[in-house]
Amino acid sequence: MMTCERLERFFAAWNEHDVETIVSFFTPDGAYHASIGPDDEGTAFRGRDEVRRGVAAFLSTYGDVRYTDLRVGLDGDRAYATWTFSGTKGNERITYRGVDVFEFEGDLITLKDAYRKERSTPIG
């Protein structure tokens, strides 16, 4: 079974920019749905090779990726993780809050579905 400690280790691998360790947390047919992209799912990467490609692209886009303020909740084969993301894209420093929704088979991820809050002009 997945544990909160193991899921925290998953995020530590993101902070270490360790693509292979990140990918090792997924089932062979696991999926990573990025928070941005052209589809309702954002950009969907399915299978370890595609997840590897998506993770590597994300980490290369934001060279100094960090996840902080991590809070994890686990309920059987599902979990959530809230976090603060920070990174640099070009010369722009980016920080936002977000949440990942997870599904598991045993202690491996079958789905990591990411959502985030972006700063914009307030409504109203």
Side-chain angles (χ1 to χ4, degrees):
M1 294 293 294
M2 180 59 74
T3 64
C4 289
E5 293 79 17
R6 182 164 164 74
L7 207 47
E8 289 166 357
R9 176 64 192 115
F10 173 73
F11 279 93
W14 286 85
N15 286 344
E16 295 160 3
H17 304 177
D18 186 343
V19 174
E20 291 309 312
T21 296
I22 294 166
V23 171
S24 75
F25 278 81
F26 285 84
T27 60
D29 61 346
Y32 161 39
H33 295 174
S35 61
I36 61 171
D39 301 316
D40 289 343
E41 297 172 330
T43 302
F45 301 94
R46 293 182 177 85
R48 282 191 178 148
D49 288 341
E50 282 296 299
V51 168
R52 180 179 291 108
R53 186 173 70 80
V55 169
F58 182 83
L59 292 174
S60 69
T61 299
Y62 304 97
D64 55 349
V65 169
R66 294 292 301 166
Y67 287 93
T68 58
D69 305 322
L70 181 66
R71 299 184 86 185
V72 174
L74 185 61
D75 185 16
D77 64 353
R78 295 177 183 263
Y80 71 88
T82 61
W83 36 258
T84 300
F85 166 88
S86 61
T88 304
K89 183 176 182 181
N91 293 326
E92 182 182 4
R93 186 77 182 148
I94 299 169
T95 301
Y96 54 78
R97 295 283 301 145
V99 63
D100 287 336
V101 178
F102 291 93
E103 295 179 11
F104 309 106
E105 283 180 10
D107 68 347
L108 295 176
I109 298 166
T110 59
L111 175 64
K112 175 191 182 293
D113 196 357
Y115 299 86
R116 69 184 185 185
K117 300 256 187 192
E118 287 201 39
R119 289 180 176 83
S120 64
T121 305
I123 298 173

